[in-house]
Amino acid sequence: MQLLPHPLDQLSIDEVKRARDLILKARGKSVIEFRYLALEEPPKDELVKFLKLEHDGDLKENSPRPARQARVHYDVVYDDKRHEYRESVVDVDSGKETYHEIIDKMHQPSLTMEEFRQFQDACVESKLFKDAIANFKLPEDFVVTIDPWPYGGPDPDEESPRYTQGLCFARDTSSGSEDSNHYAYPLPIIPVMDTYTSKIVRVDKLATGGKEDGLRYDTHSKGVLDHCKGSDYVPELLKGGVRTDLKPVNVIQPEGPSFKVSNESLIEWQKWRFRLGFNPREGATLHDVRYDGRSVLYRLSLSEMTVPYGDPRPPYHRKQAFDFGDGGAGRAANNLELGCDCLGVIKYFDGVMTDPSGNPSTSKNVVCLHEQDNGIGWKHTNFRTDRAVVTRARELVVQFVITLANYEYVFAYKLDLAGGITVETRATGIVSVVNIDPGKTSPWGNIVSPGVLAQNHQHLFCIRIDPAIDGVKNTVLQEESLPIPTSRETNPFGNGYEVRTTPISKSQWLDASPMTNRTIKMVNEHHLNPISGKPVGYKFIPAATQLLLAQPESVAAQRAQFAQHHIWVSKYRDGELWAGGEYTNQSRKEIGGVMDAVSREDAVQDEDVVVWNTFGLTHNPRVEDWPVMPVEIHQLHIRPADFFTQNPSLDVPSNRNMASQLAPKTNGVHASNGDCCGGSVQKEPVTHWQGTADLRPVNGEAKS
């Protein structure tokens, strides 16, 4: 019997082909350019019923199953080159189109790699662009390179068709390496293309002045790169070479990994069980996350991120990317390399992508799964007996990496042995740079190399948490720790404080509050912990990172309202997945994002709720970020709060790692066999003796 796909499995190559053919048939003789084709996740009420059957062991071959559907984004192209953007949902099994909409022209769909290629070709053919380049005297052996970029938010009074713009640089070819760093030679122009006609319609000038020049243009000389200097990062071009004294650290699992993967989507590890999804917009997503058979999360994903730049000199005010909505994290996912991006015993997962003709292809190794050690998990030494017990904090890591022109982002979901989940972001790659005149400095960034200004900017991320704490009906609590006044009756010595818990009854936003230790708890009010008597739940403390700095009335702020508060609590709706709205490309305002969701003022207590966490990195570059920046790391820690009746990692073995060795010429006690519960080292230093006597009551007196 052929195994039926799980409702959360990615569409197969065959299913993508069927979906493509259904759209071509439905639109007749029209010319179709496909933009997005991926699984349309089932309605929640249908999927929850299916999952209950699955987890109860009652799933049969004839059990009701949600339909396998595909969401398809595409353009209908007319003879006059007009594009009409449409979206459809098709049932790949029944062959029916279940939804079809012509999208309002106020919205622009996300960009595609094909449009980026068209942009490069248009620049090569454009007289406007060639004339702009001719205004510069470039050094010999230099060629022009272009990074395509989203156009950003148009000015309020600007009439803008679908545009693509590009940041321009020059590359020194004298080394013979195509990996020579072109970002070291920025050119002060931005070509703008009408995407549907594939014509360059204008070339914007960029200011290169310093703080004394204000918003002035044309302050540079014809030899605009004469003061710039090469800055390479690939090993073979480094003048001093790479270090030779760094010795290997190997991750060895002689018995193999502790995880199990079934059907390329079901992952089981140390009481955890979840489904892995992948789509062109979000990249990797986690579904139906359970610990020891109990439901924790329905869905966990990275919903959106925006990167606004703080240089007010036009056209930099439009320099703002929405990396999930404008282009798609899944589309930009790296093909990960064994022994490079993930270490240890690795399981890779592939993605399915489509080209403009709707033809599917496999994108290899876009997600890696592996285990890693994260230091001590828990430890205690009984000072009376010198007995120490220590365990390691192993994690299961689901990781993907995206490249967006100059920047890289490393995203990871980490599940641990104590029932915790960490969502980690790492920003690296090359900072976005522009040209600056010799001898000048700018308030809008930092000079990281001669003639190279790295502009100040922000990275603002939003994580979407769809909790299912012992079921989908949950309540969000705000918990704060507050001082209480000194009082003879209640707080005579002034040391007391209260923990105040407030249920969130209506959809709303909240901000981080480190001074009150504001904690967000997601609980099931119908399931009480038998020890504490409190509702079972999970919690996190939102980081008090800086939010969007753009003025509230600016286009940059209006189109990124999700970036103006740390926490958003909304009532669940099918398809409401995007913090910044579905259509971010060339948007002037956030439509259908979290601001609209909370503005409904839905009742959310003991309901199907969604919690959104926005956090940011304000990046005012430093010289050490050049030519490639070391990773900047942020972690969101989602931890059990009265979900269990004791430390769930209490049963983790305290085995000694027998591969560990003493460094050469190191004094110390050699490792013994067995576990990490001995006291041989602990007994050595006198400073560890803290008293070992027990006191036994004898005739009412305490005696040792």
Side-chain angles (χ1 to χ4, degrees):
M1 181 183 71
Q2 184 178 2
L3 187 66
L4 294 173
H6 191 275
L8 291 170
D9 285 352
Q10 288 186 76
L11 294 178
S12 66
I13 294 286
D14 181 63
E15 288 174 318
V16 170
K17 289 178 180 178
R18 277 185 268 158
R20 174 203 61 197
D21 292 344
L22 287 168
I23 294 299
L24 294 174
K25 181 179 179 182
R27 301 290 84 82
K29 296 181 179 180
S30 300
V31 176
I32 303 296
E33 289 185 2
F34 289 88
R35 294 186 172 276
Y36 175 102
L37 203 167
L39 176 71
E40 171 76 347
E41 293 176 17
K44 192 171 191 177
D45 59 347
E46 292 183 21
L47 185 55
V48 166
K49 292 175 184 176
F50 176 88
L51 294 175
K52 186 176 188 309
L53 291 174
E54 181 183 29
H55 294 299
D56 289 347
D58 295 330
L59 195 61
K60 306 281 193 306
E61 186 178 354
N62 60 351
S63 296
R65 304 176 70 90
R68 290 285 286 173
Q69 297 195 110
R71 178 165 286 273
V72 191
H73 300 174
Y74 55 97
D75 289 358
V76 174
V77 185
Y78 294 98
D79 293 339
D80 60 0
K81 293 190 175 181
R82 284 185 303 112
H83 285 234
E84 189 174 65
Y85 176 54
R86 305 189 185 195
E87 296 185 6
S88 295
V89 175
V90 295
D91 186 320
V92 297
D93 291 326
S94 71
K96 295 179 180 179
E97 183 178 39
T98 59
Y99 167 83
H100 172 237
E101 183 180 0
I102 300 173
I103 304 301
D104 192 295
K105 293 186 183 299
M106 69 180 292
H107 299 302
Q108 292 288 351
S110 59
L111 296 160
T112 66
M113 293 304 297
E114 181 62 26
E115 288 176 326
F116 284 166
R117 283 188 285 268
Q118 290 172 2
F119 180 74
Q120 300 274 0
D121 295 341
C123 287
V124 170
E125 297 172 2
S126 168
K127 185 177 184 303
L128 270 177
F129 182 70
K130 292 176 182 176
D131 289 346
I133 293 295
N135 289 326
F136 308 127
K137 183 181 178 181
L138 301 184
E140 190 176 352
D141 295 330
F142 276 62
V143 296
V144 175
T145 63
I146 309 163
D147 280 8
W149 258 69
Y151 185 71
D155 296 337
D157 57 351
E158 179 183 2
E159 289 188 13
S160 58
R162 184 174 179 81
Y163 280 150
T164 306
Q165 67 177 0
L167 307 183
C168 297
F169 307 87
R171 182 170 61 84
D172 184 358
T173 65
S174 62
S175 69
S177 172
E178 293 186 357
D179 289 312
S180 177
N181 184 13
H182 61 276
Y183 294 109
Y185 300 99
L187 296 172
I189 55 172
I190 289 183
V192 178
M193 180 183 77
D194 182 319
T195 311
Y196 290 150
T197 66
S198 296
K199 301 293 183 184
I200 300 299
V201 296
R202 71 175 193 266
V203 178
D204 292 338
K205 291 182 178 181
L206 303 181
T208 61
K211 57 186 176 183
E212 65 271 33
D213 297 307
L215 302 180
R216 286 179 57 208
Y217 296 81
D218 297 318
T219 62
H220 59 79
S221 66
K222 193 174 180 69
V224 71
L225 300 181
D226 289 350
H227 59 304
C228 295
K229 181 182 178 182
S231 302
D232 288 307
Y233 60 91
V234 294
E236 64 272 19
L237 296 182
L238 294 178
K239 291 182 179 179
V242 298
R243 303 179 190 188
T244 58
D245 58 349
L246 188 63
K247 297 181 180 180
V249 173
N250 295 320
V251 179
I252 300 172
Q253 294 180 268
E255 299 178 19
S258 299
F259 58 76
K260 175 186 175 185
V261 178
S262 308
N263 304 325
E264 292 300 302
S265 68
L266 176 61
I267 298 171
E268 296 171 278
W269 177 80
Q270 295 298 299
K271 303 182 183 180
W272 285 107
R273 183 187 194 275
F274 61 95
R275 295 273 174 180
L276 174 65
F278 187 87
N279 65 71
R281 180 157 177 164
E282 298 166 291
T285 54
L286 303 190
H287 305 259
D288 189 27
V289 181
R290 294 171 176 260
Y291 188 96
D292 205 13
R294 295 174 63 188
S295 174
V296 176
L297 301 176
Y298 178 77
R299 193 180 195 273
L300 180 63
S301 63
L302 290 132
S303 176
E304 189 55 88
M305 62 174 291
T306 188
V307 186
Y309 282 74
D311 191 332
R313 299 172 296 176
Y316 294 135
H317 66 293
R318 286 191 287 98
K319 191 175 180 182
Q320 180 183 19
F322 288 75
D323 292 315
F324 286 60
D326 287 355
R331 288 192 187 96
N334 290 189
N335 304 111
L336 304 174
E337 290 280 349
L338 186 64
C340 299
D341 301 289
C342 317
L343 302 182
V345 179
I346 311 299
K347 165 62 181 174
Y348 289 109
F349 297 86
D350 300 334
V352 177
M353 299 294 166
T354 52
D355 66 14
S357 298
N359 297 315
S361 62
T362 299
S363 188
K364 299 292 291 182
N365 297 3
V366 290
V367 179
C368 66
L369 176 74
H370 64 104
E371 296 171 279
Q372 68 183 23
D373 181 87
N374 191 30
I376 291 176
W378 61 264
K379 178 175 182 175
H380 181 63
T381 299
N382 185 337
F383 69 79
R384 293 173 175 83
T385 65
D386 295 319
R387 174 76 178 270
V389 182
V390 57
T391 66
R392 305 299 297 179
R394 193 182 302 190
E395 297 174 324
L396 182 71
V397 182
V398 178
Q399 177 178 286
F400 66 107
V401 183
I402 66 174
T403 298
L404 300 155
N406 55 299
Y407 255 113
E408 265 79 17
Y409 298 96
V410 184
F411 298 115
Y413 305 103
K414 300 181 177 182
L415 295 83
D416 64 41
L417 299 170
I421 302 170
T422 298
V423 185
E424 180 181 271
T425 64
R426 296 182 178 222
T428 181
I430 299 177
V431 289
S432 185
V433 297
V434 297
N435 196 290
I436 186 169
D437 300 339
K440 295 180 180 179
T441 60
S442 172
W444 316 123
N446 194 29
I447 296 173
V448 294
S449 184
V452 177
L453 178 71
Q455 291 167 305
N456 300 333
H457 58 286
Q458 294 183 278
H459 306 256
L460 295 143
F461 305 84
C462 189
I463 297 171
R464 182 180 181 276
I465 307 167
D466 189 344
I469 311 298
D470 277 346
V472 296
K473 292 290 184 75
N474 289 169
T475 295
V476 178
L477 306 177
Q478 172 187 277
E479 181 184 278
E480 296 182 289
S481 300
L482 304 170
I484 56 178
T486 300
S487 162
R488 183 185 299 274
E489 292 77 21
T490 59
N491 191 22
F493 298 100
N495 65 302
Y497 69 89
E498 68 168 315
V499 179
R500 186 179 300 171
T501 301
T502 306
I504 305 301
S505 58
K506 286 190 176 182
S507 57
Q508 60 182 270
W509 54 261
L510 303 161
D511 283 322
S513 176
M515 300 307 294
T516 65
N517 194 48
R518 181 169 290 163
T519 301
I520 303 301
K521 286 188 173 181
M522 302 165 289
V523 305
N524 188 321
E525 294 182 310
H526 303 283
H527 290 213
L528 302 182
N529 185 291
I531 306 297
S532 69
K534 295 179 179 179
V536 298
Y538 266 69
K539 71 170 187 176
F540 66 92
I541 299 175
T545 59
Q546 192 165 37
L547 295 166
L548 188 69
L549 286 167
Q551 290 295 318
E553 71 277 6
S554 68
V555 173
Q558 287 293 307
R559 65 198 299 253
Q561 295 181 60
F562 79 88
Q564 298 175 43
H565 297 288
H566 292 113
I567 298 296
W568 306 80
V569 181
S570 65
K571 188 174 182 178
Y572 176 88
R573 280 191 179 182
D574 284 330
E576 199 166 65
L577 299 171
W578 320 122
E582 182 172 357
Y583 307 104
T584 61
N585 187 26
Q586 286 184 231
S587 63
R588 287 186 173 92
K589 185 178 180 181
E590 179 183 299
I591 298 175
V594 291
M595 181 63 82
D596 286 343
V598 303
S599 294
R600 296 193 297 261
E601 296 188 343
D602 293 326
V604 293
Q605 187 168 355
D606 195 23
E607 292 283 355
D608 191 354
V609 296
V610 177
V611 180
W612 316 69
N613 174 219
T614 298
F615 57 90
L617 159 65
T618 297
H619 191 182
N620 303 325
R622 52 195 183 125
V623 176
E624 291 84 355
D625 290 330
W626 184 259
V628 179
M629 62 178 285
V631 292
E632 289 276 355
I633 302 174
H634 180 277
Q635 293 182 327
L636 169 68
H637 300 286
I638 306 171
R639 297 291 182 258
D642 294 339
F643 190 76
F644 300 103
T645 56
Q646 63 178 12
N647 176 355
S649 65
L650 205 62
D651 58 353
V652 174
S654 56
N655 296 334
R656 186 183 301 276
N657 179 261
M658 301 308 297
S660 297
Q661 304 175 27
L662 289 173
K665 299 182 180 179
T666 298
N667 294 324
V669 179
H670 289 281
S672 60
N673 294 328
D675 59 25
C676 292
C677 295
S680 57
V681 176
Q682 193 74 21
K683 292 176 182 177
E684 294 298 318
V686 174
T687 54
H688 281 113
W689 292 357
Q690 302 173 49
T692 59
D694 290 326
L695 298 181
R696 297 180 177 86
V698 178
N699 299 324
E701 297 181 4
K703 297 184 179 180
S704 60

